[in-house]
Amino acid sequence: MTQQLIVGLIVAAAAFYAVWRWMPAGWRRSAAHKLAAGTHRAGLVDQERAEQLAASLAKSSGCGSCDSCGSCGPKTAANPSESDKAGQGPLSSTHSR
């Protein structure tokens, strides 16, 4: 009986993790703030720790998520070099036939 209970808890924890991981980012942020606020209201953590908990739970792990993790390249194009501005870039007339 005890083994079945332990296995059931492990399966439930794995299912909760899978649902949390693949939940849309907006839902995950909202649920993280509600969960952190609930732990603060219950007296389990103080306000600062509740904010840290909400921030850590709202983050996504890995790529492929709609959440902004900052791993993508810069959103603005890099400035062209001085040689490109003067017409001496890689496609200048000296390189073409």
Side-chain angles (χ1 to χ4, degrees), residues 53-78:
L53 178 65
S56 68
L57 288 175
K59 291 181 183 176
S60 67
S61 60
C63 295
S65 177
C66 295
D67 210 32
S68 175
C69 64
S71 66
C72 298
K75 295 189 185 231
T76 59

Side-chain angles (χ1 to χ4, degrees), residues 28-51:
R28 187 174 44 249
R29 280 190 295 268
S30 175
H33 288 293
K34 288 177 183 177
L35 183 65
T39 59
H40 177 64
R41 277 194 308 270
L44 300 174
V45 295
D46 61 350
Q47 181 64 30
E48 181 181 340
R49 180 67 183 136
E51 291 171 2

